[in-house]
Amino acid sequence: MSMKKIINKNEYSEWVLRNSLYWMSAASRWKLDEDDEHWLVSFDHWNDEVESEFERLLNDYKLREKLQAQTGQVRTSIIDNVLRSIDSRLSQ
């Protein structure tokens, strides 16, 4: 059975949706469209297992997005310090 999911853009970013859909390719073929306010996802095969996996992935990537936003500055600082250290050692 096929299914069309309508997802509010205010609820899930394009990054969250596309990462989730990437992993959904193993469970079902899908097609992504959009309008101004919604993501429109059509799945070729839809059942409870596919729905559960899609919801799990959406939740997972939404949490990852929040963590990235909260830790982005710290990660950038760590990367900058490592690169400066490497540059310092190479210039000696």
Side-chain angles (χ1 to χ4, degrees):
M1 169 171 57
S2 64
M3 168 64 92
K4 187 172 209 169
K5 296 286 285 181
I6 300 170
I7 299 168
N8 191 325
K9 285 184 175 181
N10 292 330
E11 190 172 349
Y12 295 103
S13 70
E14 183 174 5
W15 185 87
V16 168
L17 186 64
R18 287 189 182 276
N19 276 287
S20 299
L21 289 172
Y22 172 83
W23 292 105
M24 285 304 296
S25 296
S28 176
R29 289 178 41 183
W30 52 266
K31 182 181 176 196
L32 176 61
D33 291 309
E34 66 179 293
D35 61 27
D36 290 339
E37 297 178 8
H38 301 94
W39 301 111
L40 311 168
V41 185
S42 300
F43 290 94
D44 282 354
H45 303 288
W46 190 259
N47 57 36
D48 290 343
E49 187 177 315
V50 173
E51 181 177 18
S52 177
E53 181 67 4
F54 187 52
E55 293 296 327
R56 184 188 72 77
L57 288 166
L58 287 172
N59 182 61
D60 180 53
Y61 280 101
K62 192 168 187 173
L63 289 172
R64 289 173 190 250
E65 184 178 56
K66 285 181 182 180
L67 285 172
Q68 285 179 358
Q70 292 172 354
T71 62
Q73 188 174 6
V74 171
R75 287 184 289 115
T76 300
S77 177
I78 291 168
I79 292 167
D80 288 345
N81 286 333
V82 169
L83 291 174
R84 272 194 295 276
S85 174
I86 291 170
D87 187 46
S88 173
R89 280 188 250 153
L90 289 175
S91 64
Q92 292 178 352

